[in-house]
Amino acid sequence: LKKTCQINDEKIYKTAQKDPIKFWDNFAKKEILWQAPWTETYQHAGAYVKWFLNGKINITENIFEKNLENLGSKPAIIWEPEPLNENEIVITYKELFEKVNKLANAFKKLGIKKGEVVAIYMPMIPETIISMLALARIGAVHAVIFSAFSSSALKYRLENLKTKVLITADGYYRKGKLINLKAEADEAILGTSVEKLIIAKRANNPVTTNPNVDFWYDEITKNESADLKAEVMDSEDLLFVLPESGTSGQFLPVMHSHGGYTVYATFTGKAVFDFKPTDTLWCTSDPGWITGHTYTIYSPLLNGATTVIYEGAIDYPHPCRWADIIGKYKATIFYTAPTAIRMLEKQSKEILLTHQFNNLRLLGSVGEAIDEPTWMWYFQNIGKENCPIVDTWWQTETGGIILSSLPGIGPFKPSFTGLPLPGINLEILDENKKPCKQGVEGSLVILPPFPPAILRGIYNNEKSYIESYWSQYGTDIYFTSDSAFKDEHGLIKIVGRTDDTLKIAGHRISTGEIENAAGKTQNILESAVIGVPDELKGETAVIFVICKNNQNLEQTTQDVILEIKKEIGPIAQPKEIFIVEEFPKTKSGKTMRGILKKIYLSQDLGDLAVVSNPESIEKIRSIIHK
């Protein structure tokens, strides 16, 4: 594999380290199609970063105009529906180009303009990708919202974005159940600024329509032209905002720009996944998350690969479904989360006897950190000890992978993510801004020059942008909120979050958001959420609650679960709920969630001098044991 990888010379690290700005400048000139060159490669002022200043570009030209001559008849997207009695849909690059242009022309006729934010609340269907690319084609900004979010969670996000247009679908299938997505969207848009609702037909389930608001996707595109010149975009013009929950439970739409994101998504696809036109990728991530944006959609298409998208649960209607999909489409690259890998391992006995995975050449892991036993099982049983595992660390905020071993270079070490990518400057700092010694845990930070795809801010929330990323160490150091340490070879191991954000099955959800949802239950006076290790999901939520009265406590527990599902979605459902009299608190009244976590995990509590009510600890411990 090393011989055939596009990047296989370790000298690339020294070249990039010597002059990172020149490194990215050279790659952008060589690999990316620009409408006009930039006048300045990099600018960093305070907490704000810009790349390829005054350069003109459109990301869709780097997917279509750049590739069509050689790849027009090659499959760009393969869609696998969940129901076994339905057929897959294969869309070539040429067909995708035409579909994108038709929808883009329809968007323009509906009045969608350059720079306008349009929300997308859709399942894993081709129309989701087509919608994203069509908006990018005309210079509008897409904001994809995870389709499993409830109507309340969707409404909150729509209110924050102040969008006038929402794109959705009639329904979709999940574990055999038909989800009426249109009904969720209808409820969510009430009282918001949404004026138009565009609906794609997926399940043909009965839905209610309002002729003044609703527009059918098929109807608005059927007579449109398949020709459209891409809008000329400045490198720093917004491409998308992606909703992210921050540490306070606030809604934080992270902003990404056309130029830097295009460059970085292209490079990381080549470097980490070695994407080639001969590759078929299956990345299991939904476009509602950054992994779905970059490595289900943009990066493989920018590099001319085929991307597989699957509508349903990977173990439905039988445990072999995921393995069947890999075999059916002869996937060469499989990229998923440790949560999914652990689930596959539990179901693997029959699967490993009937599936050979002969076409796979590369495996990937993303989301929470992967433990050594899971890494080894993945390597031995799915990769047959022939496929490198690229364990990847990155964030919604970085836009693309920051840390990983490269398949053409290595080295690979189970449970260690790897080295910073060429051109990326990472460090692990203590609280005094000093680099940590080998094996010592500290805060993982990014040093300048910052990656081309790093976030350009938080949409309509400059205060949270500064506080979340640039206040801990100053505006010359990006704070990731993750802790890590290095081994003797410089390989980095991610330990966990330093803030109050949980990673449940690879999805970031803040403790504050869950607490806010639980607090809407009538009998809840106060709640505190902690994240605890979970064998399947990597991490899951445990909630401690204080009730207003002791009546119907069992019903209160059920009400909390229902409220969390309603406000956020099933993904945030807690593992356990404990009803307690009080929380351990500091003398200033701050709830000590760290103490709650140590009690739950039966760990040493350390110095309790700052706890104002130490008697609460034994009471909570007895409730947990009971």
Side-chain angles (χ1 to χ4, degrees):
L1 180 70
K2 183 173 180 177
K3 293 178 181 178
T4 62
C5 276
Q6 298 170 88
I7 296 177
N8 56 15
D9 188 345
E10 62 185 34
K11 290 179 182 177
I12 190 174
Y13 286 102
K14 289 185 178 179
T15 301
Q17 185 179 24
K18 184 177 180 181
D19 191 340
I21 296 173
K22 184 178 180 181
F23 174 79
W24 293 116
D25 185 276
N26 288 340
F27 182 85
K29 285 175 180 174
K30 179 183 177 183
E31 301 287 347
I32 306 301
L33 178 63
W34 295 84
Q35 297 165 337
W38 51 94
T39 56
E40 184 179 357
T41 306
Y42 176 76
Q43 188 180 95
H44 172 211
Y48 297 93
V49 175
K50 294 181 179 180
W51 278 92
F52 314 112
L53 284 76
N54 302 312
K56 306 303 176 187
I57 190 172
N58 189 295
I59 193 169
T60 65
E61 288 192 332
N62 282 273
I63 294 172
F64 299 120
E65 277 84 348
K66 181 182 173 184
N67 293 328
L68 276 181
E69 184 176 344
N70 297 320
L71 302 175
S73 60
K74 170 187 163 54
I77 298 170
I78 300 175
W79 176 66
E80 172 79 1
E82 185 183 85
L84 292 172
N85 61 350
E86 295 187 19
N87 295 325
E88 72 274 7
I89 293 176
V90 180
I91 303 173
T92 67
Y93 272 84
K94 183 176 185 296
E95 290 167 339
L96 181 61
F97 184 46
E98 292 171 350
K99 290 176 182 291
V100 166
N101 283 340
K102 285 185 174 185
L103 183 58
N105 279 317
F107 283 159
K108 294 181 79 169
K109 286 188 178 177
L110 286 175
I112 298 174
K113 295 180 173 58
K114 179 179 178 178
E116 181 178 348
V117 177
V118 175
I120 299 174
Y121 180 59
M122 300 181 83
M124 289 280 274
I125 56 176
E127 289 84 354
T128 306
I129 299 177
I130 295 166
S131 296
M132 293 168 66
L133 297 178
L135 290 168
R137 188 84 177 163
I138 64 173
V141 181
H142 59 72
V144 181
I145 299 168
F146 186 40
S147 62
F149 276 143
S150 66
S151 59
S152 296
L154 172 61
K155 184 185 188 72
Y156 178 55
R157 285 151 175 77
L158 294 175
E159 288 173 337
N160 186 282
L161 294 169
K162 295 180 173 58
T163 181
K164 295 179 181 179
V165 181
L166 174 64
I167 308 170
T168 190
D170 53 2
Y172 67 99
Y173 292 95
R174 185 73 178 179
K175 291 204 167 184
K177 182 181 178 182
L178 174 61
I179 309 296
N180 188 335
L181 201 63
K182 173 64 162 57
E184 296 286 332
D186 285 341
E187 185 176 344
I189 66 174
L190 293 174
T192 70
S193 57
V194 173
E195 299 171 357
K196 295 182 177 72
L197 193 62
I198 300 170
I199 315 132
K201 289 182 179 178
R202 157 63 190 111
N204 290 311
N205 52 300
V207 297
T208 58
T209 57
N210 180 342
N212 297 319
V213 176
D214 296 330
F215 297 82
W216 287 102
Y217 183 105
D218 291 346
E219 291 295 319
I220 64 173
T221 58
K222 67 180 181 181
N223 295 321
E224 285 299 336
S225 169
D227 293 321
L228 178 67
K229 185 173 175 57
E231 187 73 27
V232 176
M233 305 301 294
D234 187 86
S235 176
E236 285 300 315
D237 282 340
L238 284 189
L239 170 62
F240 65 88
V241 298
L242 186 60
E244 180 68 271
S245 291
T247 61
S248 64
Q250 290 178 294
F251 170 74
L252 301 179
V254 170
M255 300 194 295
H256 285 289
S257 64
H258 268 261
Y261 181 81
T262 302
V263 170
Y264 203 68
T266 304
F267 172 78
T268 53
K270 286 183 181 295
V272 180
F273 296 105
D274 190 39
F275 284 144
K276 299 170 184 172
T278 51
D279 277 314
T280 298
L281 161 78
W282 184 22
C283 171
T284 60
S285 179
D286 186 282
W289 308 99
I290 188 62
T291 303
H293 269 57
T294 307
Y295 300 110
T296 298
I297 301 170
Y298 281 115
S299 185
L301 295 179
L302 286 164
N303 285 288
T306 299
T307 184
V308 174
I309 58 172
Y310 170 53
E311 176 184 40
I314 63 173
D315 60 344
Y316 186 86
H318 53 75
C320 294
R321 188 65 188 273
W322 63 276
D324 290 347
I325 292 172
I326 291 175
K328 180 178 180 179
Y329 300 117
K330 295 181 171 56
T332 56
I333 303 169
F334 182 50
Y335 190 35
T336 194
T339 300
I341 299 167
R342 285 187 284 268
M343 183 183 72
L344 306 183
E345 182 179 2
K346 284 188 174 183
Q347 303 168 342
S348 65
K349 189 173 183 181
E350 176 190 347
I351 296 169
L352 297 179
L353 293 174
T354 57
H355 296 75
Q356 299 303 312
F357 308 110
N358 291 331
N359 291 288
L360 287 172
R361 70 180 187 92
L362 187 65
L363 299 174
S365 174
V366 63
E368 71 273 22
I370 187 170
D371 57 281
E372 184 170 348
T374 302
W375 194 102
M376 290 303 300
W377 181 87
Y378 196 31
F379 177 69
Q380 292 169 350
N381 294 281
I382 307 304
K384 307 300 181 184
E385 300 188 8
N386 292 317
C387 299
I389 296 175
V390 288
D391 184 17
T392 59
W393 177 89
W394 54 300
Q395 301 177 316
T396 304
E397 293 86 345
T398 67
I401 295 164
I402 294 292
L403 180 63
S404 180
S405 294
L406 303 187
I409 299 174
F412 303 94
K413 183 177 180 180
S415 82
F416 280 75
T417 305
L419 298 170
L421 264 59
I424 302 301
N425 190 4
L426 289 185
E427 190 52 88
I428 298 170
L429 300 181
D430 62 21
E431 57 188 15
N432 297 315
K433 297 187 182 181
K434 302 295 184 182
C436 293
K437 295 180 180 179
Q438 173 195 320
V440 177
E441 181 182 332
S443 292
L444 185 67
V445 300
I446 306 176
L447 304 178
F450 299 106
I454 200 165
L455 78 165
R456 298 311 198 249
I458 300 295
Y459 189 70
N460 287 336
N461 197 336
E462 183 179 16
K463 181 182 178 183
S464 289
Y465 172 62
I466 302 297
E467 289 178 350
S468 297
Y469 310 109
W470 307 101
S471 61
Q472 293 80 3
Y473 292 102
T475 55
D476 285 333
I477 299 176
Y478 171 87
F479 181 63
T480 71
S481 294
D482 273 343
S483 56
F485 66 86
K486 295 180 182 177
D487 74 356
E488 67 274 20
H489 304 294
L491 297 175
I492 294 177
K493 181 182 179 70
I494 303 297
V495 177
R497 298 288 293 178
T498 61
D499 60 14
D500 293 325
T501 300
L502 310 185
K503 271 199 173 181
I504 302 174
H507 301 140
R508 285 176 61 182
I509 300 174
S510 75
T511 57
E513 193 170 9
I514 300 174
E515 289 171 1
N516 289 340
K520 293 185 178 181
T521 305
Q522 188 175 4
N523 193 30
I524 297 300
L525 181 65
E526 190 177 357
S527 64
V529 173
I530 62 170
V532 300
D534 183 85
E535 184 180 352
L536 187 62
K537 297 179 180 180
E539 190 172 30
T540 190
V542 169
I543 305 182
F544 295 84
V545 298
I546 299 172
C547 294
K548 295 176 182 177
N549 59 64
N550 291 324
Q551 298 174 0
N552 300 319
L553 294 182
E554 186 174 334
Q555 183 61 49
T556 296
T557 299
Q558 294 303 313
D559 290 345
V560 169
I561 293 172
L562 290 172
E563 198 65 46
I564 290 170
K565 285 183 176 180
K566 175 186 172 186
E567 291 294 317
I568 305 172
I571 194 170
Q573 181 173 330
K575 178 180 181 179
E576 292 184 276
I577 299 175
F578 296 105
I579 298 173
V580 300
E581 294 180 8
E582 59 180 338
F583 302 143
K585 294 198 174 188
T586 64
K587 291 177 173 61
S588 63
K590 182 179 178 181
T591 298
M592 303 184 73
R593 291 171 181 80
I595 294 291
L596 287 173
K597 186 170 183 174
K598 287 179 179 179
I599 296 171
Y600 181 85
L601 297 175
S602 299
Q603 296 176 343
D604 182 4
L605 302 184
D607 185 6
L608 299 176
V610 296
V611 182
S612 64
N613 56 340
E615 67 280 358
S616 66
I617 293 173
E618 283 306 317
K619 292 180 181 178
I620 293 170
R621 183 180 279 129
S622 66
I623 289 170
I624 291 172
H625 289 166
K626 182 180 178 181

